[in-house]
């Protein structure tokens, strides 16, 4: 079930299915996600939006395969209109938490209730869209109630030996964030165009053009245009390696009331990436997907210097027994710093370990632990503000117990503890959050 924005967390993961045309991708393990910028408890796993055609193609690299309940619970005829298939869903979430940041240095306790009615539409076999509003209510008057929005469209087509894909997302959220230490209104738009073409029986080319727009109320707006292109070699169906090159341009527009003198400076950035990757399904029980390289970033701000940083991502899936799934993920990425305007650049490094265990056939227990370091910095060599050199270290632990009901529903109870240690006053917090969630969808 796709239920969009849980607890107001801005997420564009719904369109990830549109990238499936590029070849083997990291499988979507049913584990609790970790968002290092979210003060609120992380949501239950949400599969990416995929078309019927994408769902029908098995992923040779994925150890954790979808349950595939379509044949057991066929869609009722009332939701079928020729090639159109409607998949309505409803998600209710109740949680109580402390340590929620309303302003820097001020932590609150609040009950949070979220009601999210969603609708996914299959437009034939090759296109799908999803829309989910989330009505969110806080018991504390230090936060305002909000209606978050999530929209995604994905699809693709083939022409001769080419495969083309399109993914479009749009969303709005308002929730407490780690970067701002306050409830922040954010709007995001994402567009991805992909193309894949076999050059020989073993070599293929994967091309991508992306546009990302991030708008933050009262802070900075960023507009990013980028490309990442890969040349891959397949040793066999479960092992391929590749080398990729890309780059992008980031246009940053600052709110002069917030950013002061820097509003008159050119905050734009350009960058180049060079990476290598390997996708390997070692056995039926374990798989590895690893990529790494460098990000070289140049800043247009007067007095700035280049920034060269390592970037990487890794995902390991291991299923020692039929009812046991273990996954390890890690990554490091670099981006512009739109939510913390004292800095120009954000480098985030994360590592997470998750265990999912089926209990007594019906119950599912999920355990997760994660650590993230987020470093904010400026590229200006002289007169750098001390506030720009901020580092947050976040540790998180979560547990979730789930059980199905009425064939199409799931109820869950969860607990999450998060602890953030920051070298900037007002941004350190510790939070305990517990609650339950009920989902039902077709």
């Amino acid at each position: 079930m796709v239920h969009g924005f849980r607890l107001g967390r801005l997420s564009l993961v719904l369109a990830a299915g549109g990238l499936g045309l590029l070849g083997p991708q990291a499988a979507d393990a049913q584990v609790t996600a970790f968002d290092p910028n979210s003060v609120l408890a992380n949501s239950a796993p949400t599969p990416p939006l995929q078309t019927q055609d994408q769902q029908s193609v098995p992923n040779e690299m994925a150890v954790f395969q979808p349950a595939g309940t379509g044949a057991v619970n066929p869609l009722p005829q009332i939701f079928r209109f020729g090639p159109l298939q409607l998949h309505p869903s409803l998600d209710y979430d109740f949680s109580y938490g402390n340590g929620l940041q309303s302003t820097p240095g001020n932590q609150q306790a609040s009950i949070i209730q979220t009601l999210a009615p969603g609708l996914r539409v299959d437009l034939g076999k090759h296109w799908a869209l999803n829309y989910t509003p989330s009505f969110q209510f806080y018991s504390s008057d230090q936060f305002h109630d909000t209606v978050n929005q999530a929209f995604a469209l994905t699809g693709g087509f083939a022409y001769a030996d080419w495969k083309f894909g399109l993914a479009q997302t749009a969303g709005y959220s308002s929730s407490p964030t780690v970067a701002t230490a306050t409830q922040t209104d954010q709007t995001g738009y994402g567009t991805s165009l992909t193309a894949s073409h076999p050059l020989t029986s073993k070599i293929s080319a994967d091309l991508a053009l992306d546009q990302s727009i991030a708008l933050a109320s009262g802070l900075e707006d960023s507009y990013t245009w980028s490309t990442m292109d890969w040349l891959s070699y397949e040793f066999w169906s479960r092992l391929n390696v590749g080398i990729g090159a890309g780059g992008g341009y980031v246009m940053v527009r600052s709110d002069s009331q917030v950013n002061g003198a820097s509003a008159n400076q050119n905050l734009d950035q350009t960058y180049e990436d060079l990476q290598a990757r390997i996708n390997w399904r070692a056995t039926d029980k374990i798989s590895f997907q690893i990529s790494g390289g460098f990000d070289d970033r140049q800043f247009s701000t007067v007095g700035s210097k280049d920034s060269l940083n390592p970037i990487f991502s890794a995902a390991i899936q291991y299923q020692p027994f039929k009812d046991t799934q273990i996954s390890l993920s890690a990554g490091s990425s670099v981006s512009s710093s739109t939510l913390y305007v004292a800095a120009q650049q954000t480098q985030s490094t994360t590592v997470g370990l998750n265990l999912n265990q089926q209990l007594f056939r019906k119950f599912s227990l999920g355990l997760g632990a994660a650590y993230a370091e987020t470093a904010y910095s400026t590229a200006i060599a002289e007169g750098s503000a001390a506030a720009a050199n901020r580092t947050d270290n976040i540790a998180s632990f979560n547990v979730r117990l789930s059980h199905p009901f009425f064939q199409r529903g799931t109820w869950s109870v969860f607990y999450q503890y998060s602890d953030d240690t920051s070298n900037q006053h007002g941004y350190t917090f510790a939070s305990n959050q517990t609650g339950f969630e009920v989902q039902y969808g077709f």
Side-chain angles (χ1 to χ4, degrees), residues 407-429:
Q407 295 185 326
R408 300 180 183 275
T410 303
W411 62 259
S412 305
V413 293
F414 62 86
Y415 168 77
Q416 177 169 307
Y417 173 75
S418 300
D419 182 272
D420 178 18
T421 301
S422 176
N423 65 352
Q424 288 293 326
H425 177 71
Y427 293 93
T428 295
F429 72 90

Side-chain angles (χ1 to χ4, degrees), residues 22 49 155 188 225-226 229 238 267 282 287 312 332 366-367 413 419-420 442:
L22 289 179
L49 178 63
W225 298 274
S226 63
D229 306 313
R238 291 189 172 187
L267 303 175
S287 68
F312 70 90
S332 182
L367 300 171
V413 293
D419 182 272
D420 178 18
F442 291 88

Side-chain angles (χ1 to χ4, degrees), residues 144-169:
H144 61 264
D145 299 340
T146 186
V147 181
N148 301 316
Q149 312 279 342
F151 168 83
L153 169 69
T154 188
F157 64 93
Y159 178 77
D161 291 334
W162 286 89
K163 292 184 178 180
F164 298 93
L166 167 67
Q168 175 66 54
T169 61

Side-chain angles (χ1 to χ4, degrees), residues 2 5 20 48 52 73 106 116 124 190 206 223 226 271 350 396 436 441:
V2 177
F5 289 79
Q52 294 181 25
N73 300 312
N106 295 314
D206 302 321
Y223 304 78
S226 63
Y271 65 91
T350 62
S396 178
F436 68 89

Side-chain angles (χ1 to χ4, degrees), residues 71-389:
V72 179
N73 300 312
L75 189 68
Q77 187 61 42
I78 191 175
F79 297 130
R80 298 174 180 268
F81 302 91
L84 300 182
Q85 295 189 20
L86 309 183
H87 299 269
S89 63
L90 184 64
D91 184 344
Y92 173 74
D93 185 290
F94 178 97
S95 67
Y96 171 81
N98 57 23
L100 308 180
Q101 297 169 296
S102 57
T103 57
N106 295 314
Q107 299 179 23
Q108 312 295 331
S110 181
I111 293 173
I112 307 168
Q113 298 184 76
T114 304
L115 183 65
L119 178 63
R120 191 184 90 236
V121 181
D122 291 331
L123 309 170
K125 294 183 177 181
H126 302 288
W127 294 90
L129 62 85
N130 180 85
Y131 171 67
T132 303
S134 298
F135 302 86
Q136 191 170 71
F137 307 95
Y138 295 84
S139 64
S140 172
D141 59 7
Q142 298 300 305
F143 304 100
H144 61 264
D145 299 340
T146 186
V147 181
N148 301 316
Q149 312 279 342
F151 168 83
L153 169 69
T154 188
F157 64 93
Y159 178 77
D161 291 334
W162 286 89
K163 292 184 178 180
F164 298 93
L166 167 67
Q168 175 66 54
T169 61
Y172 167 82
S173 73
S174 180
S175 64
T177 68
V178 173
T180 63
T182 189
Q183 187 173 9
T184 305
D185 296 342
Q186 300 178 67
T187 302
Y189 305 93
T191 304
S192 178
L193 300 173
T194 62
S196 178
H197 180 63
L199 303 179
T200 70
S201 61
K202 295 289 186 178
I203 302 174
S204 62
D206 302 321
L207 314 174
L209 290 173
D210 298 279
Q211 174 182 264
S212 176
I213 301 174
L215 312 176
S217 177
L219 299 172
E220 290 180 345
D221 300 334
S222 66
Y223 304 78
T224 304
W225 298 274
S226 63
T227 182
M228 191 66 194
D229 306 313
W230 292 88
L231 191 64
S232 300
Y233 183 85
E234 183 180 82
F235 288 92
W236 56 84
S237 62
R238 291 189 172 187
L239 175 63
N240 66 76
V241 299
I243 184 170
Y249 179 79
V250 184
M251 182 176 69
V252 180
R253 293 296 176 261
S254 177
D255 188 326
S256 60
Q257 295 180 348
V258 174
N259 214 32
S262 66
N264 298 319
Q265 299 178 358
N266 186 344
L267 303 175
D268 295 355
Q269 309 171 16
T270 57
Y271 65 91
E272 300 81 40
D273 289 346
L274 181 63
Q275 298 187 59
R277 71 183 181 188
I278 179 171
N279 297 314
W280 181 30
R281 178 78 176 273
T283 69
D284 288 343
K285 294 180 177 293
I286 190 168
S287 68
F288 303 86
Q289 295 178 319
I290 302 171
S291 67
F294 293 92
D295 177 281
D296 187 8
R297 195 164 293 250
Q298 302 87 46
F299 302 87
S300 300
T301 309
V302 176
S304 64
K305 57 182 179 179
D306 291 359
S307 176
L308 180 64
N309 296 283
I311 55 176
F312 70 90
S313 65
I316 301 174
Q317 294 185 346
Y318 178 50
Q319 190 166 7
F321 311 105
K322 177 182 177 181
D323 296 328
T324 304
Q325 297 179 348
I326 302 172
S327 63
L328 174 66
S329 62
S332 182
S333 61
V334 180
S335 65
S336 61
S337 181
T338 57
L339 293 179
Y340 187 63
V341 296
Q344 292 177 289
Q345 175 182 283
T346 302
Q347 183 171 15
S348 297
T349 302
T350 62
V351 60
L353 177 66
N354 288 275
L355 167 67
N356 281 264
Q357 178 67 51
Q358 293 294 319
L359 303 173
F360 312 113
R361 294 188 178 181
K362 291 293 186 178
F363 285 92
S364 177
L365 176 66
L367 300 171
Y371 173 81
E373 179 184 85
T374 302
Y376 304 89
S377 61
T378 181
I380 302 175
E382 299 179 359
S384 299
N389 298 316

